[in-house]
């Protein structure tokens, strides 16, 4: 596998830029090639120890930044943890393939490759994280089997600030591909995420208790949410993302557990959803334990191609019915703008706005919506409004139910 031409060109430009910068000696990072630490690209030797040793050396280097380099080749890797704080910034360049154990019980932690307590981590390259999830997917039955095996997410970041990922590909995760917890100021660009549409719980990018996250120029096709935004997250900017197959860009599910926090400030712009079950989605549990606010969201310039439910606010979320009915959702949704959302809906209900009876949605603005029904039922698309206060202007297909 090689990087595509665009990113190869970009890499060339970057390396030219780097040459210019590197002529000032203090900026030159020390390179830690994993092969110099005994890693073998034979696809079967477990390289976890070699990678951990490389990390330790790179992280402890005091006098200048470090660059960890994974060259082309297939490096089999058991579960690894890369823990900071580090003395300096770390570039982690992956041009090869990292191959996960196929047997899920060979990863004895909840994340295959886990980064914690780090500032200034820059992951890039044209490499692949191959989660080898195929053998695990049939075992994913936790909603009905309490003895279900624990399956690892591919790459996790916890307590990581001022960092980014650029260019790499994540393939066939066992559970989610990228998971973020308590991460602040993080950019994800030019990333490709791929798993089959029917692989269970293979969320693309998922984050909670995080802020100032930018995701752009990224292609996500997977079996669960392309992007999931969870409790305690603020200032998220998602642009130029292709999503499909998958379950769309979801906020939630929210409200189920105690100690959840507000979700505020989300911009989702220039997105194509292609063949996804949902597009724009906010889901909150019907019987919620926490009383939180979801506010200041903008969704703009969004194309829907054969999307099951293009716009879906569901405050009666219940994935495995019957659910305990302990009353209405206590999540307050307000200040939402949806502008220039167009394309085709597989369901007749293209716009579903079902808010909480106890905490009706406030200030929801629809501007230029054009979603045609192309499903088997036939007939025009429709909209559902429940417990919602808002306004609509511009083109409105389906006919709006707000004003
Ligand atoms: C990361 O950023 C958050 C929010 O700005 C801050 O509270 C936290 O202390 C930072 N962590 C580190 C290790 O710098
Ligand atoms: C993330 O991207 C924003 C906008 O392009 C930029 O201002 C910021 O410096 C970037 N942060 C990191 C950690 O790369
Ligand atoms: C989001 O990111 C895009 C692309 O980097 C940028 O043009 C836009 O200004 C950002 N929007 C916000 C609200 O930060
Ligand atoms: C949407 O997905 C279908 C099926 O994978 C593909 O053939 C088509 O080219 C995609 N359309 C766009 C505009 O990406």
């Amino acid at each position: 596998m090689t990087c595509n031409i665009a990113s190869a060109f970009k890499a060339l430009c970057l390396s030219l830029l780097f040459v210019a910068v590197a002529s000032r000696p203090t900026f030159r990072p020390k390179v830690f090639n994993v092969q110099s630490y005994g890693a073998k690209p034979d696809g079967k030797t477990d390289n976890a120890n070699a990678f951990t040793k490389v990390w330790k050396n790179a992280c402890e280097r005091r006098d200048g930044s470090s660059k960890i380099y994974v060259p082309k080749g297939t490096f089999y890797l058991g579960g690894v943890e890369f823990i900071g704080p580090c003395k300096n910034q770390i570039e982690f360049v992956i041009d090869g393939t990292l191959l996960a154990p196929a047997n899920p019980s060979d990863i004895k932690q909840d994340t295959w490759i886990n980064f914690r307590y780090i500032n200034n981590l820059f992951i890039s390259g044209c490499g692949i994280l191959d989660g080898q999830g195929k053998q695990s997917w049939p075992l994913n039955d936790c909603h009905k089997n309490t003895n279900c095996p624990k399956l690892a997410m591919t790459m996790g970041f916890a307590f990581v600030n001022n960092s980014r990922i650029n260019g790499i590909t994540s393939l066939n995760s066992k559970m989610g591909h990228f998971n973020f917890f308590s991460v602040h100021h993080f950019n994800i660009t030019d990333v490709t995420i791929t798993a089959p549409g029917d692989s269970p719980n293979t969320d693309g990018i998922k984050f909670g208790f995080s802020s100032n996250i930018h995701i752009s120029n990224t292609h996500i096709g997977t079996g669960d949410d392309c992007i999931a935004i969870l409790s305690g997250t603020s200032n998220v900017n998602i642009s130029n993302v292709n999503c499909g197959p998958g379950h769309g860009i979801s906020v939630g599910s929210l409200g189920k557990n105690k100690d959840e926090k507000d979700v505020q400030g989300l911009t989702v712009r220039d997105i194509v959803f292609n063949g996804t079950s949902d597009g724009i989605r906010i889901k909150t549990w019907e019987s919620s334990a926490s009383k939180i606010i979801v506010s200041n969201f903008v969704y703009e310039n969004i194309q829907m191609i054969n999307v099951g439910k293009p716009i879906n606010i569901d405050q009666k979320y219940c994935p495995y019915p019957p659910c305990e009915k302990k009353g209405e959702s206590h999540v307050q949704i307000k200040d939402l703008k949806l502008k220039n959302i167009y394309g085709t809906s597989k369901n007749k209900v293209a716009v579903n706005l079902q808010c909480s009876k106890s905490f009706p949605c406030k200030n929801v603005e629809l501007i230029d919506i054009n979603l045609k029904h192309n499903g088997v039922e036939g007939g025009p698309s429709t909209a559902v409004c429940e417990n919602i206060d808002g306004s609509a202007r511009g083109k409105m297909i389906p006919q709006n139910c707000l004003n």
Side-chain angles (χ1 to χ4, degrees), residues 126-185:
C126 19
I128 297 171
L129 312 175
D130 186 348
Q132 298 218 81
K134 200 170 177 192
Q135 193 176 318
S136 301
W137 298 327
L139 309 172
N140 192 313
D141 58 356
C142 291
H143 62 278
K144 51 185 191 210
N145 170 15
T146 47
N147 281 324
C148 60
K150 222 170 157 33
L151 304 175
M153 295 175 283
T154 285
M155 187 174 266
F157 299 85
F159 313 101
V160 171
N161 287 355
N162 300 317
S163 297
R164 57 178 176 258
I165 307 180
N166 172 266
I168 62 174
T169 295
S170 176
L171 199 62
N172 296 335
S173 56
K174 299 183 197 306
M175 286 285 281
H177 293 262
F178 292 100
N179 191 61
F180 296 84
F181 178 82
S182 195
V183 169
H184 306 279
H185 296 278

Side-chain angles (χ1 to χ4, degrees), residues 209-213 229-230 232-236 262-266:
F209 292 95
S210 295
S211 70
N212 298 294
I213 309 286
I229 298 147
L230 301 176
T233 296
S234 59
N235 294 327
V236 176
D262 297 348
V263 178
Q264 280 168 335
L266 169 67

